[in-house]
Amino acid sequence: MTTLLQKSPIHRTVLNNGIVVLVAENPAADIIAARIFIRAGSCNENQEQAGLAHLLSAVMTKGCDGLSSLEIAEKVESVGASLSADATSDYFLLSFKTVTSDFPEILTLAGKLLRSPTFPEVQVELERRLALQDIRSQKEQPFTVAFEQLRQTMYQNHPYAMSVLGDETTMSRLTRANLVQYHQTYFRPDNLVISIAGRVTSTEAVALVTDIFGDWQVPEVALPTLNLPEIKVEPQVTLKPQQTQQSIVMLGYMGTSVSSPDYAALKLLCTYLGNGLSSRLFVELREKRGLAYEVSAFYSTRLYPASFVVYMGTAPENTTTALEGLRTEVDLLSITEISPSALQAAKNKILGQYALGKQTNGQIAQIYGWYEILGLGIDFDIKFQELIAAVDAQDAIAAACKYLKQPYVSLVGQEAAIHEAIA
């Protein structure tokens, strides 16, 4: 069944085996981009196997039925295409881009990689070693250390507490057998979204996907249900002394998931506070007071409650003032209405950046496939813009009062400076 959604340029088709196919026809350039999403990210790992989805993404393109790692690379590179895999907390992703004439060949290859990866032992070992190097090098980056510390305190035993890489202990013990089991459990047609954008009609694309994936049978075993622990909000302070030239001061507040009615207001507050050179934090704490090497805010779009984070890199002697400055700016959101002009400027910024993020075929395939896999539906593209436009000053204050009151605090820097900040 194919439906062309009202106001949406996307054709959505569900194959008999449950695969959802999204097609955006864009004849402007002779290129097709595709994103294949699987509903399985690091949230679907056991705690003791953290990093498994990441390792799977690293090894998936390194061998499949009948093809070695080198042969796969040659197939892709000989036609100037690109192909990669990636894992996030909420989903797994296989991406590729090719000229239109090579699309059938590369989609066929993607089908083989998805359905029959071989996970060669040598490649598993190599990619695990590379991941361990990544994990170790991140321990030398003060921002990453501060964020890791914040996440683990905020999320405790929820999967969002962990980096997608896991840690040294969990990554070290992952085996090829773990990869095979995870793949067999989650890589199945009723857990798949294929999002395609470029010079191809929806009829052609659906016929091709049916040809390559249509014989993939849904296993008789039901997909495992995800039983995630409840997230308890218990704000606290964590410190990590490190011999660095700057202090990282980070505040975290437990926000909401993307499906919450408060999501748009928090997204707007984050943009107002910390997005770009005209943002409140940048103007007040860096421009006017010269406190920050860098200062920003971020609030991810997640399937489960996401953290709302503000942070600053500052000189060690300014650590206490920086912490007070960040807290003051966030606290103001609960007691002072944002002016109509500042609110409109934040809306223009967020909607402008959103529009610019849908320029290329890859971006188009990404955003619609992402909305589909998160369960929001592809009409969330229009809905998101309407939600942002509808936020008023009272909504912003209400969201700040509800979510941005008591922060988790994460400090990384010279011991004397960070201890003095919380004294």
Side-chain angles (χ1 to χ4, degrees):
M1 66 182 187
T2 301
T3 50
L4 180 56
L5 283 179
Q6 182 191 2
K7 298 193 285 187
S8 171
I10 306 297
H11 294 261
R12 181 182 185 275
T13 305
V14 184
L15 304 189
N16 292 336
N17 58 3
I19 293 178
V20 178
V21 185
L22 307 176
V23 185
E25 298 179 25
N26 181 13
D30 188 27
I31 286 170
I32 298 177
R35 299 285 187 271
I36 302 178
F37 289 83
I38 296 97
R39 264 182 216 90
S42 56
C43 273
N44 303 78
E45 302 161 343
N46 301 329
Q47 242 181 332
E48 59 276 9
Q49 291 183 346
L52 183 56
H54 169 81
L55 188 59
L56 183 75
S57 72
V59 183
M60 174 157 262
T61 55
K62 300 296 194 294
C64 63
D65 205 8
L67 292 173
S68 69
S69 177
L70 184 61
E71 288 166 331
I72 291 165
E74 282 174 346
K75 263 186 181 298
V76 174
E77 288 165 15
S78 65
V79 294
S82 64
L83 182 144
S84 62
D86 195 20
T88 73
S89 326
D90 294 334
Y91 59 84
F92 185 98
L93 182 62
L94 187 68
S95 312
F96 67 87
K97 184 173 74 170
T98 168
V99 295
T100 306
S101 57
D102 297 318
F103 180 63
E105 185 187 349
I106 300 297
L107 185 64
T108 302
L109 174 62
K112 283 183 180 172
L113 292 171
L114 277 173
R115 294 175 67 174
S116 51
T118 48
F119 305 130
E121 199 76 69
V122 176
Q123 296 289 345
V124 174
E125 186 53 44
L126 173 66
E127 294 299 337
R128 189 174 54 226
R129 279 211 308 274
L130 290 172
L132 284 166
Q133 278 175 21
D134 270 358
I135 291 166
R136 287 177 195 127
S137 73
Q138 286 185 359
K139 287 180 179 171
E140 291 158 23
Q141 298 162 15
F143 171 85
T144 311
V145 172
F147 186 45
E148 190 83 9
Q149 180 171 265
L150 184 74
R151 261 200 328 234
Q152 292 192 359
T153 316
M154 290 180 78
Y155 287 102
Q156 301 123 24
N157 54 352
H158 187 282
Y160 281 180
M162 289 293 263
S163 154
V164 80
L165 290 167
D167 60 28
E168 284 189 77
T169 309
T170 60
M171 182 54 76
S172 297
R173 64 162 83 108
L174 293 175
T175 65
R176 182 181 179 278
N178 299 145
L179 294 174
V180 170
Q181 185 184 9
Y182 188 88
H183 178 267
Q184 285 176 348
T185 305
Y186 293 104
F187 284 64
R188 43 191 282 169
D190 55 342
N191 208 27
L192 210 68
V193 172
I194 300 179
S195 183
I196 298 164
R199 189 180 285 182
V200 63
T201 67
S202 60
T203 311
E204 291 165 345
V206 170
L208 196 57
V209 171
T210 306
D211 197 36
I212 294 166
F213 294 92
D215 63 336
W216 196 358
Q217 300 295 311
V218 177
E220 290 179 13
V221 192
L223 270 162
T225 50
L226 210 51
N227 292 314
L228 296 179
E230 187 191 346
I231 300 166
K232 293 189 179 73
V233 180
E234 297 164 340
Q236 52 191 285
V237 176
T238 44
L239 309 176
K240 179 80 174 178
Q242 219 178 37
Q243 276 311 103
T244 58
Q245 295 311 302
Q246 62 170 316
S247 295
I248 299 289
V249 179
M250 195 174 278
L251 307 182
Y253 302 82
M254 188 58 71
T256 67
S257 70
V258 62
S259 54
S260 158
D262 297 324
Y263 165 77
L266 281 175
K267 203 75 179 165
L268 202 59
L269 284 172
C270 181
T271 299
Y272 164 75
L273 257 191
N275 181 336
L277 308 186
S278 60
S279 66
R280 174 82 191 182
L281 292 178
F282 194 91
V283 171
E284 294 298 321
L285 301 180
R286 181 176 162 133
E287 294 289 288
K288 291 185 181 175
R289 297 178 63 187
L291 282 175
Y293 299 137
E294 56 171 335
V295 62
S296 192
F298 57 92
Y299 171 55
S300 305
T301 299
R302 290 289 182 81
L303 208 45
Y304 305 103
S307 50
F308 185 110
V309 177
V310 295
Y311 73 93
M312 188 196 297
T314 191
E317 63 271 18
N318 290 334
T319 308
T320 306
T321 320
L323 178 57
E324 288 165 359
L326 281 177
R327 280 217 62 168
T328 301
E329 290 303 332
V330 179
D331 289 347
L332 277 172
L333 299 174
S334 304
I335 51 175
T336 315
E337 273 197 10
I338 300 175
S339 72
S341 61
L343 193 67
Q344 192 55 51
K347 289 181 182 183
N348 294 346
K349 188 186 290 185
I350 205 169
L351 293 173
Q353 288 173 344
Y354 184 73
L356 289 171
K358 294 189 297 179
Q359 297 293 299
T360 67
N361 287 331
Q363 289 170 328
I364 293 165
Q366 173 75 28
I367 204 154
Y368 288 105
W370 182 46
Y371 288 155
E372 180 71 35
I373 207 76
L374 290 181
L376 298 165
I378 50 181
D379 53 349
F380 189 74
D381 174 46
I382 302 293
K383 189 181 171 190
F384 171 72
Q385 297 172 70
E386 291 171 348
L387 288 170
I388 292 293
V391 176
D392 63 23
Q394 282 304 307
D395 298 329
I397 276 202
C401 288
K402 190 171 175 184
Y403 299 99
L404 307 181
K405 281 297 205 186
Q406 284 298 314
Y408 289 82
V409 179
S410 173
L411 301 176
V412 173
Q414 294 174 16
E415 191 157 7
I418 60 176
H419 278 286
E420 185 188 320
I422 56 148

